[in-house]
Amino acid sequence: MFESLRKKLKIFKESVSTEESELNSATIEASEDKTTPSDEAPEEASYETTTQKVVDVEAIGHASEYVEQVPQRVEPSNGRVSTQEKSIFERKIKGKDLEDSLWDLEIALLESDVAVSVTEEIVETVKEELVGTKRKWRQDVGTLVEKALRDGILKVLDVSGLDFDEFIKNTPKPVTIVFTGINGTGKTTTIAKLAYRLKNQGYSVVLAAGDTYRAGALEQIERHAEKLRVKLVKHQQGADPAAVIYDAVQYARAKHKDVVLADTAGRIHTNVNLMNQLRKIERVIDADLVVFVDEALAGNDAVERALQFNTAMAIDASILTKVDADSKGGTAISIAHATSKPILFLGIGQNYEDMVKFDPQWLMNRLFDEADA
């Protein structure tokens, strides 16, 4: 996963490293060309002075003490050499040296479905970290560049964290979670995966078949409920989804169940009537958590949809599906920053266990470490 973005980030590292290596070599060559005879004269004088001292000592009868000594070259003490060495072996990275590489990075991020505002922030962070940095000769510039890239991406992912497991543990029961999103993104499958996860952690789960409009939606969630052996609350097709979810919550309270996972009809964010249904659900159901589900493959469309859904029913977090098929990786970087809401999980397959808790460091490892890709 994320092969495309990983390759582009690697190209950026190599580009900056090559540029800095060439500039450093040019600096050394230019410094060597400036060497003049006047610089060497004091050294020759010092050499002769040392030789003369040995002769003087031998002349006064103490030659046995110095016969094994070899005349030593005395370095001039005027400070010119140390200053020269500093200029050769340490140089400051300049903004103009990075212009082309930073432009290439910006294009690479945009091509990888990273949102424009997120791209600009990452590039600016990288620039701020690298420009003015003093690097020594032969120092691995790639390490500096990778650190700047990691910091830039982690910065845009730095939203208020939400640990799902801790949230479930500490919230009064039953915990009611409503899932929103459009059709075909894996929303119902994601609900089943969470039910599987929660059941394995010892929680009792109730599913609410709130998608009463899509043909086959009821049958789909029924199959999951049967496989997982969890309670499903449902009404007939076309029923009011708010009523279905309300009945599920009441059932959970009466039967002392721990968690209610409520499905809703997948809807296009431009469909006003369907979006209004979400507003009704929000009024009727005091949900503890509203989770937006979309696929990583949607790219910037997923970010735009999340913002639109957030205006209809304020979302608290997101889950990205089909991450295992995403070669770009931009959606995972962009959606948390755009919505200012955390990503809870990433779907990485079709099986119930194929879902991992989102961890920014996990994402960094897959973007920069080939072994973890």
Side-chain angles (χ1 to χ4, degrees):
M1 62 188 75
F2 311 141
E3 294 88 352
S4 176
L5 181 55
R6 183 168 58 251
K7 289 178 181 177
K8 288 179 170 64
L9 295 177
K10 184 177 181 180
I11 290 172
F12 175 71
K13 285 173 54 179
E14 292 173 349
S15 172
V16 176
S17 297
T18 300
E19 178 72 19
E20 283 298 305
S21 177
E22 291 174 352
L23 288 171
N24 197 74
S25 297
T27 301
I28 294 175
E29 290 174 3
S31 179
E32 290 175 345
D33 290 342
K34 291 180 181 179
T35 304
T36 62
S38 60
D39 293 329
E40 300 172 357
E43 297 175 5
E44 293 176 356
S46 298
Y47 185 97
E48 292 174 359
T49 302
T50 306
T51 304
Q52 184 61 46
K53 285 181 180 179
V54 174
V55 173
D56 290 343
V57 172
E58 290 175 344
I60 59 174
H62 298 287
S64 59
E65 298 179 23
Y66 297 90
V67 68
E68 297 297 329
Q69 290 192 16
V70 177
Q72 301 293 316
R73 172 174 174 158
V74 178
E75 297 293 337
S77 58
N78 54 20
R80 285 181 295 173
V81 171
S82 60
T83 302
Q84 184 185 41
E85 287 177 346
K86 185 176 182 180
S87 65
I88 294 176
F89 297 112
E90 183 179 83
R91 73 177 298 275
K92 188 179 291 186
I93 298 177
K94 300 177 181 178
K96 64 179 182 179
D97 300 336
L98 299 175
E99 287 179 356
D100 291 341
S101 295
L102 288 173
W103 171 251
D104 291 340
L105 173 63
E106 185 170 348
I107 297 301
L109 291 172
L110 292 173
E111 289 177 344
S112 299
D113 287 337
V114 179
V116 174
S117 60
V118 179
T119 292
E120 291 174 348
E121 186 163 339
I122 292 174
V123 171
E124 187 59 31
T125 300
V126 171
K127 182 178 179 181
E128 288 177 357
E129 287 215 11
L130 290 179
V131 173
T133 300
K134 291 183 178 179
R135 54 170 296 264
K136 296 180 180 180
W137 184 48
R138 295 188 184 280
Q139 183 178 1
D140 183 11
V141 180
T143 302
L144 296 176
V145 176
E146 180 174 321
K147 180 182 182 302
L149 283 169
R150 284 177 177 264
D151 290 346
I153 296 174
L154 287 172
K155 182 179 178 181
V156 300
L157 290 173
D158 185 21
V159 298
S160 55
L162 174 63
D163 188 299
F164 182 80
D165 295 332
E166 287 297 313
F167 180 84
I168 296 296
K169 178 181 177 181
N170 298 323
T171 302
K173 309 300 184 285
V175 183
T176 304
I177 306 175
V178 175
F179 295 82
T180 66
I182 70 169
N183 284 331
T185 59
K187 176 164 51 64
T188 304
T189 302
T190 297
I191 292 172
K193 288 180 177 181
L194 275 178
Y196 173 82
R197 178 188 179 89
L198 290 168
K199 189 177 178 184
N200 284 345
Q201 292 176 344
Y203 295 106
S204 54
V205 178
V206 176
L207 301 184
D211 185 353
T212 61
Y213 287 87
R214 179 171 63 89
L218 183 56
E219 289 77 6
Q220 182 185 9
I221 198 168
E222 278 182 328
R223 287 196 300 271
H224 286 305
E226 290 172 1
K227 288 181 180 180
L228 295 169
R229 297 183 179 181
V230 297
K231 173 65 177 179
L232 172 67
V233 175
K234 61 182 181 179
H235 288 191
Q236 71 276 14
Q237 188 170 346
D240 184 354
V244 177
I245 300 172
Y246 178 83
D247 286 350
V249 173
Q250 294 306 310
Y251 174 88
R253 286 175 179 166
K255 300 297 183 180
H256 306 288
K257 302 296 183 180
D258 295 317
V259 184
V260 177
L261 303 178
D263 196 6
T264 61
R267 60 206 74 216
I268 301 298
H269 54 288
T270 55
N271 189 315
V272 176
N273 291 332
L274 288 177
M275 294 300 279
N276 284 336
Q277 285 186 356
L278 286 181
R279 296 185 176 93
K280 181 179 180 180
I281 293 173
E282 186 174 34
R283 292 194 303 269
V284 174
I285 308 300
D286 185 19
D288 296 298
L289 199 65
V290 178
V291 179
F292 173 75
V293 180
D294 211 326
E295 59 184 18
L297 298 173
N300 277 314
D301 284 345
V303 177
E304 184 61 29
R305 292 196 290 247
L307 294 173
Q308 292 289 338
F309 271 84
N310 191 47
T311 61
M313 186 178 188
I315 65 175
D316 300 302
S318 299
I319 293 178
L320 289 179
T321 65
K322 307 178 184 179
V323 174
D324 52 314
D326 180 23
S327 66
K328 294 185 176 181
T331 308
I333 295 174
S334 300
I335 198 167
H337 181 268
T339 61
S340 297
K341 308 296 181 181
I343 300 173
L344 295 180
F345 295 95
L346 299 177
I348 56 173
Q350 292 299 312
N351 297 321
Y352 288 140
E353 63 271 15
D354 291 338
M355 187 171 65
V356 296
K357 289 182 73 173
F358 178 75
D359 176 15
Q361 202 57 55
W362 179 91
L363 178 61
M364 292 301 98
N365 291 341
R366 275 147 187 79
L367 289 178
F368 293 100
D369 299 338
E370 297 288 344
D372 293 324

